[in-house]
Amino acid sequence: MIEDLEGAAVGTRVPLDDLLDGLRFDAQGLLPAIAQQHDTGVVLMLAWMNRAAIRETLATGQVCYFSRSRQTLWRKGESSGQIQRLVELRVDCDGDTLLLQVEQTGPACHTGRHNCFYTRADGDEAEVFLPVVIDPSSLYGPKA
Amino acid sequence: MIEDLEGAAVGTRVPLDDLLDGLRFDAQGLLPAIAQQHDTGVVLMLAWMNRAAIRETLATGQVCYFSRSRQTLWRKGESSGQIQRLVELRVDCDGDTLLLQVEQTGPACHTGRHNCFYTRADGDEAEVFLPVVIDPSSLYGPKA
């Protein structure tokens, strides 16, 4: 199915179920999902989705990932309030990566920064370049 | 090392080697790397990097991935000419994803489209919304 679309003209449409059935999940049943703020283009984070997370996200319009550490569905923002509303879900050419256009409420990162990519390589050093804008303890409570 | 930067102020600098040594590769020794066109913010593709690919990319300024299908370093554009010049390499908060700001030459996708995310969910259908701008056979030769 995915490969059938490689040469397809703009406007070609197929049943969504067929596309989703053709996704190439990894051995753990997961796909990487990139979340991008839809209006600014800023890449917020990368997390993982299984089939159920994709279905729930499409059904509710609120982004749900699969937490690899907790091995359960992770409704982004459930405890922090930092929810992501789905604007558009895109699939890549070989069906093994998702790109989510989202409307992010508050900072996306658990550190309280706008997004998770706040450290960059600069010569033989690495530099933090995004500020903490919300104290994480106000999102999750103080660390035990 | 990565966790040490969670609350770090803007401008905090650490040796790059320490950051890279703290990256959390998966069981195959790989990390997902998102390639984003640096000036437009368009997400071009997601591919994978091992330690050697990261080192080569930083050393040469030309993006080198690790091909999971061929199990070898993949110098993006080597056969197609669709190279990616590295503008900036960023690491996420938990050190298991890279975000590459790149200058893409030509279309990024092997289908001859601008980027790999050319199919989107639209209700109960999926739609192709990006045109093929270069005949892939002109990049890779006709399919056998």
Side-chain angles (χ1 to χ4, degrees):
Chain A
M1 161 53 64
I2 299 284
E3 287 76 9
D4 295 345
L5 296 177
E6 285 197 0
V10 169
T12 300
R13 297 175 78 86
V14 296
L16 182 61
D17 281 345
D18 291 358
L19 187 80
L20 299 181
D21 287 347
L23 292 177
R24 293 161 60 191
F25 294 92
D26 69 11
Q28 285 74 48
L30 300 176
L31 284 181
I34 304 160
Q36 182 177 34
Q37 174 66 28
H38 71 106
D39 49 357
T40 64
V42 174
V43 174
L44 301 171
M45 57 184 282
L46 180 141
W48 297 79
M49 286 182 149
N50 63 2
R51 201 174 295 265
I54 296 170
R55 292 284 179 191
E56 175 167 323
T57 298
L58 288 168
T60 66
Q62 221 153 278
V63 178
C64 173
Y65 298 105
F66 184 84
S67 168
R68 295 182 301 173
S69 55
R70 291 184 280 116
Q71 287 289 305
T72 182
L73 290 178
W74 163 31
R75 294 171 183 96
K76 169 76 177 161
E78 199 170 30
S79 52
S80 67
Q82 300 172 208
I83 61 167
Q84 293 176 340
R85 184 175 64 80
L86 182 70
V87 175
E88 192 166 275
L89 180 145
R90 301 178 186 167
V91 177
D92 80 339
C93 52
D94 49 7
D96 63 4
T97 304
L98 303 176
L99 176 61
L100 311 176
Q101 299 289 320
V102 305
E103 173 69 37
Q104 170 73 51
T105 298
C109 185
H110 78 288
T111 64
R113 292 183 179 83
H114 176 270
N115 68 73
C116 297
F117 298 97
Y118 55 83
T119 307
R120 63 182 166 208
D122 181 21
D124 59 2
E125 294 186 306
E127 182 194 34
V128 173
F129 69 98
L130 288 180
V132 173
V133 290
I134 293 188
D135 180 350
S137 69
S138 74
L139 299 172
Y140 304 100
K143 273 195 181 174
Chain B
M1 161 52 63
I2 300 285
E3 287 76 9
D4 295 346
L5 297 176
E6 286 197 0
V10 169
T12 300
R13 297 174 78 86
V14 295
L16 181 61
D17 281 345
D18 291 359
L19 187 80
L20 298 181
D21 287 347
L23 292 177
R24 292 160 61 192
F25 293 92
D26 70 12
Q28 285 74 48
L30 301 176
L31 285 180
I34 304 160
Q36 182 177 34
Q37 175 66 27
H38 71 105
D39 49 358
T40 64
V42 174
V43 174
L44 301 172
M45 57 184 284
L46 181 140
W48 298 79
M49 287 184 148
N50 63 1
R51 200 174 295 266
I54 296 171
R55 292 283 179 192
E56 175 167 324
T57 297
L58 288 169
T60 65
Q62 222 153 278
V63 178
C64 173
Y65 298 105
F66 184 84
S67 167
R68 295 182 301 173
S69 55
R70 290 183 280 116
Q71 287 290 304
T72 182
L73 290 178
W74 163 32
R75 296 175 180 94
K76 169 77 176 160
E78 199 170 30
S79 53
S80 67
Q82 300 172 207
I83 62 168
Q84 294 177 341
R85 183 174 65 80
L86 182 71
V87 175
E88 192 165 277
L89 180 145
R90 301 179 185 165
V91 177
D92 81 340
C93 52
D94 50 5
D96 63 5
T97 303
L98 303 176
L99 176 62
L100 311 175
Q101 300 289 321
V102 305
E103 172 69 37
Q104 170 74 52
T105 298
C109 184
H110 79 288
T111 63
R113 292 184 179 83
H114 176 270
N115 67 73
C116 297
F117 298 97
Y118 54 83
T119 306
R120 63 183 166 207
D122 181 20
D124 59 2
E125 293 185 307
E127 182 195 34
V128 173
F129 69 99
L130 288 180
V132 173
V133 290
I134 293 188
D135 180 350
S137 69
S138 74
L139 300 172
Y140 304 99
K143 272 193 180 175

